[in-house]
Amino acid sequence: MPSVVVVGAQWGDEGKGKVTDYLAQQADWVVRYQGGNNAGHTLVVDGQTFKLHLLPSGVIQPGTSSVIGNGVVIDPLVLVRELKGLRESGLPDPKLYISERAHVIMPYHRLLDELEEAERGADKIGTTGRGIGPAYVDKVGRSGIRMIEFVQPDRFRERLEAILPRKNRILTQVYGAEPFEVDAIIEEYAEAAEILKDMVVDTSALLSDALDRGEKVLFEGAQGTFLDIDHGTYPFVTSSTPSAAGAAIGAGVGPRRLDQILGVFKAYTTRVGSGPFPSELQGELAERIRQQGNEYGTTTGRPRRVGWFDAVMGRHSVRVNGLTRFAVMLLDVLTGLDELRICVGYSIDGERRDTFPADIKELSRCEPIYETYPGWSEDITGARKLQDLPPEARAYLEALEGHLNVPLGLVSVGPGREQTIFLENLFG
Ligand code: IMP
């Protein structure tokens, strides 16, 4: 079993960082395959805290190679800043390979992200403002700049000269903003291009060869299935493919090379940004879970919206990702609640619905149908096997497993690496 894909099974922030951090210890390669520095996770190693947005989790594992795949959009200034941060923390420089085919986030993408959001007004998506969407728009619109061009000064200039006049017309004539200048951009980015140059390679070939040799490859998803451009709550989504198939496209490996697909869920649900959320909680209970789970965005610091576990979403995730196992994170956050709920279906206009609607208008009219389970009050943060959990917590997990119809692979009962119940070795 040489490859594992870790995917967010809800709206992102499920705790993938902890899972990938753990699996990265066993992996030879850790690969980011989509998204960019809209993601964020915090790793605590030997008392030192690392906040990574773009670098794969493998960078803090000695001996692990890290890949930023072709499906990622890269802000070179952020990437260089993160690399410098590792060095300043005294870590050795990581073995990092960057796909030649990955697209670059330019300053006009960041500005457009802001301007487009402002124009959406009340319908704003609540993006992270990092230029992610506009960079993917240019990729698909065939006016992006790829890493292979970015690191060659002549090619970079050539691309900017071809692209910038039209961008500037949009910026000035549509939005009344200031135009960008080719020379200024080149000057701002020259150092980053020089630093990154030698890391830019054909990562698809590297990974295929590694898989041929039987090396362990971990594909690290960012965001989550419900932020997926195709399978998420469009238009309140990100612009990439976080779901499992995105790993094949975004890393340049065939889909049959993805073996284990681990869907990471929180024991409840959270969402940052706008859009309908059927099992959302308000008031005191929401605040309690938010405080207990420290539910504030890693990238933007925004408070996350919280709600009960939604098994309708769960089944959608199981299906579109082809999950082979699932993980339940932050179970300890639910300790002390009298009762827990799982949304098992929706009611819409008096009719029951068991699948997740494509239309957000319809979704916003869905009322959750709940099953209720007794809570527990014992501290579970010391549990290391299922038997250590109170019977109510085990019953809750069994209920989730029953609704998702996929075997449970892992349960997290606290932020520490050791605060984890493993049901099997995912790398086999
Ligand atoms: P964008 O990816 O910045 O374009 O933002 C689009 C949507 O995805 C917004 O609702 C963001 O809040 C959300 N989003 C992007 N990245 C993450 C993440 O890593 N965790 C949770 N939500 C995210």
Side-chain angles (χ1 to χ4, degrees):
M1 194 68 77
S3 87
V4 176
V5 188
V6 172
V7 292
Q10 295 158 317
W11 272 300
D13 310 315
E14 298 90 351
K16 295 182 294 296
K18 174 172 162 173
V19 178
T20 48
D21 171 43
Y22 170 77
L23 290 172
Q25 292 175 275
Q26 301 166 33
D28 300 299
W29 298 80
V30 181
V31 186
R32 277 280 312 263
Y33 59 85
Q34 46 70 230
N37 59 314
N38 47 351
H41 59 249
T42 308
L43 299 172
V44 182
V45 182
D46 298 333
Q48 260 188 310
T49 301
F50 299 92
K51 282 192 194 296
L52 301 179
H53 295 285
L54 188 53
L55 285 170
S57 311
V59 291
I60 54 164
Q61 305 291 341
T64 305
S65 299
S66 297
V67 171
I68 298 182
N70 55 276
V72 175
V73 286
I74 299 174
D75 186 325
L77 303 181
V78 172
L79 182 51
V80 166
R81 201 185 315 137
E82 288 197 356
L83 287 168
K84 284 185 178 162
L86 293 184
R87 207 180 254 190
E88 281 158 16
S89 309
L91 288 186
D93 287 344
K95 277 194 274 173
L96 175 67
Y97 303 95
I98 303 166
S99 171
E100 302 162 326
R101 292 174 161 81
H103 279 248
V104 183
I105 300 178
M106 287 278 100
Y108 46 83
H109 293 134
R110 284 195 301 269
L111 180 58
L112 281 166
D113 199 352
E114 256 173 59
L115 296 169
E116 286 167 5
E117 274 288 84
E119 191 172 72
R120 287 182 191 114
D123 293 331
K124 76 176 167 46
I125 295 167
T127 73
T128 59
R130 303 295 191 264
I132 306 293
Y136 278 114
V137 165
D138 275 358
K139 171 179 176 172
V140 177
R142 293 160 295 190
S143 51
I145 297 177
R146 304 202 292 177
M147 284 304 288
I148 191 67
E149 294 146 356
F150 175 71
V151 296
Q152 301 178 68
D154 295 351
R155 297 280 287 122
F156 184 34
R157 176 176 289 277
E158 213 176 273
R159 290 297 286 155
L160 275 178
E161 280 172 354
I163 292 161
L164 211 50
R166 182 162 185 276
K167 283 285 163 222
N168 279 339
R169 281 203 300 281
I170 295 170
L171 286 169
T172 56
Q173 292 173 25
V174 176
Y175 293 104
E178 290 297 312
F180 283 90
E181 282 173 20
V182 171
D183 286 339
I185 295 182
I186 288 178
E187 198 185 317
E188 190 184 358
Y189 284 82
E191 189 202 2
E194 184 57 31
I195 292 173
L196 300 175
K197 193 174 64 186
D198 292 339
M199 303 173 201
V200 174
V201 294
D202 182 346
T203 49
S204 159
L206 272 186
L207 289 171
S208 291
D209 291 349
L211 286 163
D212 286 345
R213 290 191 298 269
E215 292 174 11
K216 292 177 178 143
V217 179
L218 174 64
F219 297 94
E220 174 182 5
Q223 289 86 46
T225 304
F226 287 84
L227 291 172
D228 186 288
I229 187 76
D230 284 273
H231 301 293
T233 41
Y234 193 91
F236 298 103
V237 291
T238 192
S239 301
S240 66
T241 304
S243 54
I249 297 189
V253 301
R256 294 180 65 176
R257 307 211 80 159
L258 310 178
D259 298 311
Q260 189 81 261
I261 302 185
L262 176 72
V264 182
F265 291 88
K266 265 179 194 164
Y268 45 96
T269 310
T270 63
R271 170 165 212 186
V272 280
S274 324
F277 179 172
S279 68
E280 183 167 16
L281 286 165
Q282 307 287 350
E284 220 173 278
L285 185 53
E287 197 45 40
R288 178 174 170 169
I289 295 176
R290 186 174 302 117
Q291 293 304 328
Q292 204 80 20
N294 190 26
E295 295 296 356
Y296 296 89
T298 321
T299 300
T300 58
R302 289 179 288 181
R304 296 179 185 139
R305 299 156 67 194
V306 302
W308 294 120
F309 188 94
D310 186 334
V312 183
M313 289 176 63
R315 290 191 295 267
H316 182 85
S317 231
V318 168
R319 172 159 42 80
V320 303
N321 291 299
L323 299 186
T324 60
R325 292 287 183 281
F326 77 104
V328 174
M329 312 304 288
L330 293 133
L331 186 65
D332 53 301
V333 171
L334 299 181
T335 297
L337 300 181
D338 292 337
E339 55 176 41
L340 309 176
R341 291 181 168 190
I342 299 176
C343 168
V344 295
Y346 298 145
S347 162
I348 179 158
D349 305 329
E351 289 203 11
R352 184 176 169 123
R353 179 168 183 143
D354 290 302
T355 54
F356 196 79
D359 179 3
I360 51 157
K361 282 253 155 53
E362 199 175 342
L363 182 63
S364 62
R365 288 190 293 123
C366 283
E367 295 292 331
I369 300 171
Y370 287 121
E371 274 178 3
T372 303
Y373 291 84
W376 61 90
S377 55
E378 299 89 330
D379 179 2
I380 61 167
T381 56
R384 298 294 175 264
K385 36 188 202 314
L386 282 182
Q387 293 84 329
D388 297 338
L389 292 172
E392 295 83 359
R394 288 206 303 268
Y396 182 67
L397 292 173
E398 273 164 32
L400 296 183
E401 197 168 31
H403 285 298
L404 299 181
N405 199 21
V406 170
L408 181 62
L410 176 164
V411 182
S412 175
V413 292
R417 267 186 187 169
E418 69 296 347
Q419 291 176 302
T420 313
I421 299 171
F422 294 103
L423 292 127
E424 69 172 319
N425 182 351
L426 289 159
F427 272 115

